């Protein structure tokens, strides 16, 4: 199994600003996924980016993947107070059972 | 569409008591199923995963066990709870969306407090 590590651990911004979170991993991957978790709730799948993709968009979310640096970033544009949550990345390598592992996440606080 | 159910939502149990958490998935067949535990302010720790009925793989040796009696049912159990078993338990399933690609989806979680 692979492991994603998110950076920074905590991020505090004002509403309307952009939020950028990073994820690093150790070995080759098949795909990388980003999730959001509101306090006390389950994880919500946000976006999947495949190893042969470099950038992907979904609404206000923009995910990039740099396999040469073994890193990914999640950009939330024009943040809202409702974006306050923890964000996690998960990776898995090629072949075999899908057994993603998660880092500690980035705790994002968006102040209204 | 697929749905994942977990119950109970919250649970308070004394040390030494048994545990049974249930997870069911609707709208899909032969999913991979997972149990994770999340300590306060921490990441997710994979406890068990299953690729089919009766097939359970354990990632962390501990006093917990898992069973998959039906294709879309995953149960997490313990004979005697420890204080360290407190945490937020999440069930998840994954679906194959392409050759070698899976997306994972999570249930709402169970908050377990062992007293």
């Amino acid at each position: 199994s692979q492991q994603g590590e998110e950076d920074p651990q905590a991020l505090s911004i004002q509403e309307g600003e952009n939020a950028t979170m990073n994820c690093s991993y150790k070995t080759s991957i098949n795909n990388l996924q980003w999730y959001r978790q509101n306090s006390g709730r389950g994880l919500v799948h946000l976006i999947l980016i495949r190893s042969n993709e470099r950038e992907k968009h979904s609404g206000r979310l923009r995910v990039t993947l740099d396999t040469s640096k073994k890193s990914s970033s999640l950009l939330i544009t024009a943040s809202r107070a409702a974006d306050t949550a923890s964000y996690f990345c998960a990776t898995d390598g090629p072949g075999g059972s899908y057994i993603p592992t998660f880092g500690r996440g980035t705790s994002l606080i968006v102040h209204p | 569409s697929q749905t994942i159910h977990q119950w109970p939502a919250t649970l308070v149990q004394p040390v030494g008591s048994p545990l049974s958490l249930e997870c069911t998935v609707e709208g899909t067949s032969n999913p991979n199923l997972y149990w994770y535990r999340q300590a306060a302010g921490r990441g997710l720790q994979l406890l068990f995963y299953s690729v089919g009925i009766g097939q359970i793989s354990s990632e962390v040796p501990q006093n917990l066990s898992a069973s998959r009696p039906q294709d879309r049912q995953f149960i997490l159990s313990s004979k005697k709870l420890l204080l360290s078993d407190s945490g937020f338990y999440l069930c998840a399933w994954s679906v194959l969306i392409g050759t070698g690609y899976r997306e994972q989806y999570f249930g709402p979680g169970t908050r377990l407090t062992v007293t």
Side-chain angles (χ1 to χ4, degrees), chain A residues 37-43, chain B residues 6 9 21 36-40 44-45 47 85-90 107-112:
Chain A
Q37 184 182 33
N38 290 86
S39 180
R41 308 294 294 273
L43 276 71
Chain B
Q6 270 189 259
L21 301 181
Y36 290 88
R37 178 172 59 200
Q38 185 178 33
L44 278 71
Q45 179 188 35
L47 301 176
D85 291 325
S86 294
F88 192 48
Y89 287 82
L90 288 158
T110 293
R111 175 75 58 192
L112 172 66

Side-chain angles (χ1 to χ4, degrees), chain B residues 8 13 31 43 55 57 75-76 86 98-99 114:
Chain B
Q13 292 282 97
Q55 300 178 63
S57 296
I75 298 172
L76 182 69
S86 294
T99 304
V114 182

Side-chain angles (χ1 to χ4, degrees), chain A:
Chain A
S1 58
Q2 315 293 321
Q3 183 176 33
E5 288 293 342
E6 298 85 357
D7 171 66
Q9 290 188 15
L11 184 59
S12 181
I13 60 175
Q14 294 296 128
E15 205 166 31
E17 295 179 341
N18 294 341
T20 300
M21 289 156 272
N22 303 296
C23 170
S24 59
Y25 55 92
K26 297 178 180 177
T27 58
S28 64
I29 63 170
N30 206 26
N31 62 67
L32 183 146
Q33 301 187 47
W34 283 93
Y35 296 82
R36 182 186 73 235
Q37 184 182 33
N38 290 86
S39 180
R41 308 294 294 273
L43 276 71
V44 174
H45 183 267
L46 294 177
I47 198 164
L48 177 149
I49 187 165
R50 301 179 181 182
S51 58
N52 60 353
E53 296 176 315
R54 292 296 167 259
E55 188 171 312
K56 205 163 182 179
H57 297 256
S58 177
R60 293 183 296 112
L61 305 180
R62 173 177 169 253
V63 169
T64 62
L65 179 64
D66 187 336
T67 53
S68 67
K69 295 181 179 179
K70 293 186 173 59
S71 68
S72 174
S73 67
L74 170 66
L75 169 67
I76 304 175
T77 60
S79 63
R80 305 167 182 169
D83 294 327
T84 294
S86 291
Y87 292 82
F88 296 87
C89 67
T91 64
D92 195 41
S97 299
Y98 182 66
I99 311 171
T101 55
F102 295 78
R104 296 186 181 184
T106 293
S107 176
L108 172 66
I109 298 176
V110 182
H111 300 279

Side-chain angles (χ1 to χ4, degrees), chain B residues 17-63:
Chain B
S17 64
L19 173 73
S20 180
L21 301 181
E22 188 164 343
C23 170
T24 59
V25 181
E26 295 178 358
T28 187
S29 297
N30 196 31
N32 283 8
L33 296 173
Y34 312 80
W35 278 112
Y36 290 88
R37 178 172 59 200
Q38 185 178 33
R42 303 297 297 274
L44 278 71
Q45 179 188 35
L46 179 63
L47 301 176
F48 301 95
Y49 71 93
S50 171
V51 298
I53 295 174
Q55 300 178 63
I56 309 294
S57 296
S58 174
E59 292 292 303
V60 182
Q62 54 201 334
N63 69 320

Side-chain angles (χ1 to χ4, degrees), chain B residues 65-84:
Chain B
S65 62
S67 62
R68 184 169 177 174
Q70 300 180 42
D71 181 45
R72 289 173 285 178
Q73 184 184 30
F74 206 21
I75 298 172
L76 182 69
S77 304
S78 174
K79 292 183 179 179
K80 288 186 178 181
L81 284 168
L82 306 173
L83 285 175
S84 58

